[in-house]
Amino acid sequence: MSTWRFDQAATRRSLVRMIIKDEYRFSCVDGEGFRDFCATGMHRFQIYSRQTVSRDCYELYVAERLNMKKLLQLECQRVCLTTDAWTSIQRINYMCITAHFIDRKWKVEIKKILNLCPIKSHRGENIGKAIEKCLNDWGIDKVMSITVDNASSNDTVIIFFKKMKN
């Protein structure tokens, strides 16, 4: 048998992962139920403010982004992208860019979201520029394919990339 020891830092990291994975609001740490749970099951756990939890989530994002960037640069020969754009109920245009690839060990890496960003419009040139910026930000220069929906503006996106490669 071994003795379990409470680890504040590990518990804090676990809280951050739970908030991200289960899509909880940062303010969940302010809730009476959460505080009761911690008092019962983890009475040594120091509960942090929603601002601290928010900062911790951002720090985890930065670390995971760096890991993903290394994976893309070291383990990936070619990247296949999918992209989709839509307009929110607030009339804001958004686009999501997702990478799919096979690493050097032939492990399929599917659905790695690279970017979810606002775009000026659904015009092909704006979409093309947003994809180009995303690829530059991630250091991706070897794209095998881009899968898009059947919107007519996507023809312009492909023309934009053909010009970019020349």
Side-chain angles (χ1 to χ4, degrees):
M1 293 182 89
S2 65
T3 305
W4 177 80
R5 293 189 59 163
F6 176 75
D7 184 339
Q8 178 72 25
T11 306
R12 184 175 172 174
R13 285 190 301 273
S14 183
L15 172 64
V16 167
R17 286 190 189 93
M18 178 192 75
I19 288 171
I20 292 168
K21 286 180 180 181
D22 294 338
E23 300 176 8
Y24 292 132
R25 297 180 313 231
F26 299 139
S27 64
C28 75
V29 297
D30 296 332
E32 185 179 334
F34 179 76
R35 291 180 179 275
D36 286 346
F37 172 76
C38 288
T40 302
M42 297 179 294
H43 58 276
R44 292 174 134 181
F45 180 60
Q46 176 188 350
I47 299 173
Y48 295 94
S49 70
R50 71 177 85 177
Q51 291 83 5
T52 300
V53 169
S54 171
R55 260 192 317 273
D56 287 353
C57 287
Y58 182 72
E59 288 172 9
L60 179 60
Y61 162 76
V62 169
E64 289 296 322
R65 178 181 164 85
L66 184 61
N67 290 338
M68 181 66 182
K69 201 169 187 176
K70 286 179 186 175
L71 178 69
L72 285 168
Q73 291 173 350
L74 300 175
E75 294 290 327
C76 177
Q77 296 295 315
R78 299 249 187 255
V79 176
C80 298
L81 301 175
T82 58
T83 178
D84 192 22
W86 67 94
T87 303
S88 73
I89 198 165
Q90 296 87 6
R91 297 185 182 254
I92 301 171
N93 300 308
Y94 289 99
M95 181 174 63
C96 183
I97 303 169
T98 308
H100 310 266
F101 59 93
I102 298 172
D103 68 15
R104 292 186 189 277
K105 296 176 185 171
W106 284 90
K107 179 182 174 210
V108 177
E109 299 285 345
I110 55 173
K111 201 167 183 180
K112 301 290 186 183
I113 296 175
L114 299 180
N115 203 357
L116 174 61
C117 60
I119 54 174
K120 290 180 183 177
S121 73
H122 289 264
R123 292 184 55 221
E125 188 171 318
N126 289 327
I127 293 171
K129 287 178 181 178
I131 295 172
E132 179 184 30
K133 181 181 180 331
C134 177
L135 295 175
N136 289 336
D137 289 349
W138 283 93
I140 298 172
D141 59 356
K142 295 179 182 173
V143 176
M144 179 178 246
S145 67
I146 301 176
T147 303
V148 295
D149 61 16
N150 63 354
S152 60
S153 61
N154 289 324
D155 295 339
T156 308
V157 173
I158 302 307
I159 291 168
F160 178 87
F161 276 101
K162 284 182 180 178
K163 288 178 184 174
M164 194 174 84
K165 287 293 181 186
N166 293 337

